[in-house]
Amino acid sequence: QVYLVESGGGSVQAGESLRLSCRTSGINFSISRMAWYRQAPGNQRDWVAQISNDGSTNYTDSVKGRFTISRDNARATVYLQMNSLKLEDTAVYYCNTKYRNVVYWGQGTQVTVSS
């Protein structure tokens, strides 16, 4: 059974930081590309960042320079360090991977940024 479990969300003020974690099980994590998505109320789920098995990363333009995705293969965990948070970063954040041609999602963790 594959599990993706996010944690680390919360309520912060604009300009502050949060670090999200996504702990996985049931997949060969070290060879898996991992991604973070987010969904604000009334919006579609949008891609935020991804990290390949070789450690290469990509980000959506709105978070470049503020967010950092990283992975710890020993812990089978992917992280999203979010700095300089803005009001528009408010959303539910989801961990994502595709393993053996099946797409998996975590349950999501809420991030709320207030002024």
Side-chain angles (χ1 to χ4, degrees):
Q1 191 79 356
V2 176
Y3 293 100
L4 280 66
V5 180
E6 301 98 334
S7 62
S11 296
V12 297
Q13 292 192 320
E16 294 184 340
S17 299
L18 280 174
R19 189 177 83 152
L20 306 183
S21 300
C22 173
R23 179 174 49 86
T24 73
S25 61
I27 64 172
N28 189 341
F29 182 83
S30 64
I31 66 170
S32 298
R33 183 173 65 186
M34 303 298 300
W36 286 96
Y37 285 72
R38 65 186 179 186
Q39 187 168 19
N43 288 4
Q44 65 183 17
R45 191 172 296 188
D46 293 324
W47 172 76
V48 175
Q50 69 182 35
I51 184 166
S52 299
N53 59 346
D54 64 359
S56 59
T57 59
N58 285 286
Y59 302 90
T60 192
D61 286 346
S62 62
V63 308
K64 284 180 181 176
R66 299 189 299 121
F67 289 10
T68 302
I69 188 171
S70 61
R71 64 191 299 153
D72 184 337
N73 289 341
R75 291 181 168 83
T77 299
V78 61
Y79 304 97
L80 187 68
Q81 177 67 42
M82 305 185 296
N83 298 332
S84 302
L85 282 161
K86 303 178 179 181
L87 300 180
E88 53 264 40
D89 295 319
T90 295
V92 178
Y93 285 71
Y94 297 90
C95 182
N96 164 275
T97 192
K98 185 176 181 181
Y99 184 65
R100 293 181 176 175
N101 288 322
V102 178
V103 176
Y104 295 96
W105 297 92
Q107 82 288 351
T109 186
Q110 176 70 48
V111 172
T112 302
V113 184
S114 60
S115 59

